[in-house]
Amino acid sequence: MSKNIQAIRGMHDILPERIALWHRLEDTARQVLSAYGYAEIRTPLVEVTDLFKRSIGEVTDIVEKEMYSFEDRNGDSLSLRPEGTASCVRAAIEHGLLVQPQRLWYRGPMFRYERPQRGRYRQFHQIGVEAFGLAGPDIDLELLLLTARLWRLLGFDSFRLEINTLGDNAERLVYREQLIAYLSAHADQLDADSLKRLHTNPLRVLDSKNPQTQQIVADAPTLMEYLGEETRSHFEHIRQGLDEADVAYRVNPRLVRGLDYYNRTVFEWITEDLGAQGTVCAGGRYDGLVEQLGGRPTPAFGFAMGVERLVELMSLAGHSTEASVDAYLVAVGDAAQSAAPLLAERLRDAVPQLRLLTHCGGGSFKSQFKKADKSGARFALVLGEDELARNTLGVKPLRDDSEQCELGFEALAAFLSEQLTQRD
């Protein structure tokens, strides 16, 4: 007997009983983003490797350790996308979208070779948002308020917002030298990864998870000390807006994010309910990336949220999965079974939002009713010889003790429409 083939470790099937939570998250996100004027964009899963080396940075864990890269048949190096921002920027440049401000969003799978654990997968899904051509702090604030609104609609009330500013390139360059000098004086106490980053990407040392390195970093100089008036004003405008909107936050001077392209505002929404993998949404400003990838200088701000982590939180919070169907059509007898498919089509025409499952494969009345109940449907619609002769259908509620009734087609369509209005 041949061995069963299983999914690749860290890449999971999303089964039907789970998909309702995904739909609720995606539909709610789409509604919120549409209300703020954001348009959806979809980009390929595979890009040239150089796109991510140039955007994310070659001295990052993602590029050095985590990308799924391969050589295609003509010798080009290609990679499964590890994040969505670079692809979105590439598409915006390629199709000439940046001649005016753009508000875009996307969703879909990303890929990173990481050790699978709760909330971290090798294939994972993100919903991402990118705003181009807007330099002021008002767009930073808008996207922070947008995420806060999404959490309210989804019923999340325990997320913690942390924000920081990384300054502009000139400010960061001065700070970088001071940070290197400080860390070099403690080089014998740094972990191997931090030593490697010391002269290539020292800000990433601030984000080290090594306990001993964290003790050293605690006394390091902060970037706030090197910010100019314009950067401080930009950051204060965001803080003032969050205060006025009554959105709680904490300024975390060690928050740097893991990608090289960020400047000024960065943020994370964090939960304590998923263990170590507590960041559910993160992003920031990246004013130099468009030019870095060949476009005209364009300010930009964006974020991405982890779909699997948010779905897990929805499940932990007891979000119910709605019935997969509204009604199950039971047909007993040859004549009824022959008439059932066309009758079902008439019902779908009359009640477009109806989720109707028609029994197939024959069977007794009792066996069909068992399958109707197992389907999760709210109603069983019964078509037998008597109903066929009277041009009616029986309606049997399956989720409460309401009485069964018999309705003609027009009355049945009106009844189902009313029930679905209550459902929605």
Side-chain angles (χ1 to χ4, degrees), residues 35 56 73 79-80 88 112 164 212 220 257 286 309 361 369 376:
I56 297 172
R73 292 185 178 182
S79 295
L80 296 176
C88 190
R112 296 184 193 178
N164 190 26
Q212 184 172 335
R257 301 296 303 141
Y286 53 95
R309 295 180 187 181
F369 244 86

Side-chain angles (χ1 to χ4, degrees), residues 285-304:
R285 180 164 283 280
Y286 53 95
D287 293 336
L289 183 58
V290 175
E291 185 177 13
Q292 186 177 321
L293 292 180
R296 66 178 67 185
T298 305
F301 189 96
F303 67 80

Side-chain angles (χ1 to χ4, degrees), residues 182-405:
Y182 171 83
L183 294 174
S184 296
H186 299 83
D188 58 334
Q189 302 174 63
L190 299 178
D191 62 277
D193 278 347
S194 295
L195 283 172
K196 183 179 179 181
R197 292 167 171 158
L198 180 56
H199 292 283
T200 56
N201 196 355
L203 267 69
R204 291 290 288 118
V205 178
L206 300 176
D207 201 31
S208 172
K209 301 301 185 289
N210 182 285
Q212 184 172 335
T213 299
Q214 288 178 338
Q215 292 180 4
I216 301 302
V217 165
D219 295 324
T222 66
L223 183 51
M224 287 284 187
E225 303 169 35
Y226 299 88
L227 299 181
E229 182 57 36
E230 184 179 350
T231 298
R232 289 179 181 274
S233 176
H234 186 105
F235 193 53
E236 286 304 313
H237 180 97
I238 297 167
R239 295 186 61 182
Q240 181 180 347
L242 291 172
D243 290 337
E244 292 176 354
D246 200 27
V247 175
Y249 64 91
R250 181 175 78 91
V251 176
N252 177 1
R254 306 303 179 192
L255 177 61
V256 296
R257 301 296 303 141
L259 307 178
D260 280 359
Y261 51 62
Y262 286 117
N263 67 291
R264 290 203 173 176
T265 313
V266 290
F267 75 93
E268 292 184 355
W269 284 96
I270 301 168
T271 178
E272 306 298 333
D273 297 330
L274 292 176
Q277 304 305 318
T279 300
V280 295
C281 176
R285 180 164 283 280
Y286 53 95
D287 293 336
L289 183 58
V290 175
E291 185 177 13
Q292 186 177 321
L293 292 180
R296 66 178 67 185
T298 305
F301 189 96
F303 67 80
M305 63 185 77
V307 175
E308 281 87 352
R309 295 180 187 181
L310 291 169
V311 166
E312 176 68 14
L313 289 167
M314 292 168 69
S315 178
L316 291 173
H319 287 239
S320 62
T321 57
E322 57 187 325
S324 58
V325 290
D326 298 305
Y328 190 104
L329 179 55
V330 172
V332 183
D334 291 343
Q337 289 175 14
S338 178
L342 293 182
L343 178 61
E345 290 304 300
R346 287 180 62 200
L347 277 172
R348 293 184 181 105
D349 288 340
V351 191
Q353 69 271 39
L354 177 66
R355 297 172 299 197
L356 173 63
L357 185 59
T358 303
H359 181 83
C360 295
S364 68
F365 179 80
K366 183 178 180 180
S367 68
Q368 290 191 46
F369 244 86
K370 284 184 178 180
K371 292 181 178 178
D373 186 55
K374 189 175 181 180
S375 74
R378 295 172 60 194
F379 302 100
L381 306 181
V382 182
L383 181 64
E385 292 183 2
D386 292 342
E387 288 82 9
L388 198 59
R390 292 191 292 267
N391 200 26
T392 61
L393 281 94
V395 181
K396 170 63 176 174
L398 298 175
R399 304 296 156 218
D400 58 43
D401 296 328
S402 302
E403 291 293 323
Q404 182 172 336
C405 62

Side-chain angles (χ1 to χ4, degrees), residues 54-68:
R54 289 169 58 185
S55 60
I56 297 172
E58 294 197 43
V59 189
T60 59
D61 285 346
I62 295 175
V63 171
E64 291 182 326
K65 305 175 184 179
E66 298 171 4
M67 284 206 304
Y68 282 96

Side-chain angles (χ1 to χ4, degrees), residues 146-181:
L146 183 155
T147 54
R149 178 177 298 276
L150 179 60
W151 309 148
R152 290 197 301 272
L153 292 174
L154 291 170
F156 296 134
D157 56 9
S158 62
F159 289 177
R160 180 177 78 253
L161 174 61
E162 295 191 354
I163 62 174
N164 190 26
T165 179
L166 302 181
D168 61 27
N169 289 336
E171 293 161 348
R172 203 157 55 251
L173 185 61
V174 175
Y175 173 65
R176 185 178 185 275
E177 297 305 315
Q178 297 299 315
L179 182 60
I180 290 175

